[in-house]
Amino acid sequence: LQVKMAMGFDNFNDVVIPNTVQTCQKQFDFPMVMTLADRPFTIVQVNERWEKLTGYLGAEVVGKKSCSILQGADTAEKDLNQLMGPVMFKRPACAMLTNYTKTGRRFR
């Protein structure tokens, strides 16, 4: 519920926020990455939409340290802290970050 509220969803019955690797593998309308909740926030699973958005295949990133591969010059430390602060306490979090694809294209 907290994640759904943080993402701005009003109708909680229509939105599934995955919390396991199995649910992350299902079809979703938005890109999804799942990490461990402990440092270094190792990537556990990504979905196909995330692969299309970032240009990275799951095989390239699963097991890597966090999503730092997506960060660049315009990725704001303040926004990263907003996202990672709650995660460190094993709480859901949501933030809008400026990230970069594998080819260097910016996206939010």
Side-chain angles (χ1 to χ4, degrees):
L1 181 60
Q2 290 173 342
V3 173
K4 292 177 183 181
M5 290 170 55
M7 293 178 71
F9 292 108
D10 293 326
N11 187 347
F12 303 131
N13 296 326
D14 293 338
V15 180
V16 175
I17 303 296
N19 59 356
T20 66
V21 171
Q22 290 78 19
T23 56
C24 189
Q25 292 172 336
K26 292 181 182 178
Q27 287 293 107
F28 287 96
D29 292 334
F30 47 91
M32 192 139 334
V33 59
M34 183 176 287
T35 68
L36 296 178
D38 297 312
R39 287 188 186 273
F41 309 110
T42 304
I43 297 173
V44 176
Q45 181 73 38
V46 300
N47 69 2
E48 186 177 327
R49 295 229 177 201
W50 189 90
E51 290 177 328
K52 287 180 181 176
L53 173 68
T54 66
Y56 289 98
L57 296 175
E60 295 177 89
V61 298
V62 169
K64 299 268 187 205
K65 177 188 149 215
S66 75
C67 292
S68 58
I69 58 169
L70 301 178
Q71 296 165 11
D74 291 331
T75 305
E77 188 73 27
K78 173 184 75 97
D79 296 334
L80 279 171
N81 291 337
Q82 177 185 341
L83 180 64
M84 299 315 293
V87 170
M88 290 185 345
F89 295 101
K90 298 186 179 12
R91 293 193 174 131
C94 184
M96 180 71 71
L97 300 175
T98 299
N99 283 319
Y100 296 84
T101 65
K102 187 175 182 178
T103 61
R105 181 182 56 81
R106 285 176 20 153
F107 71 93
R108 286 189 70 132

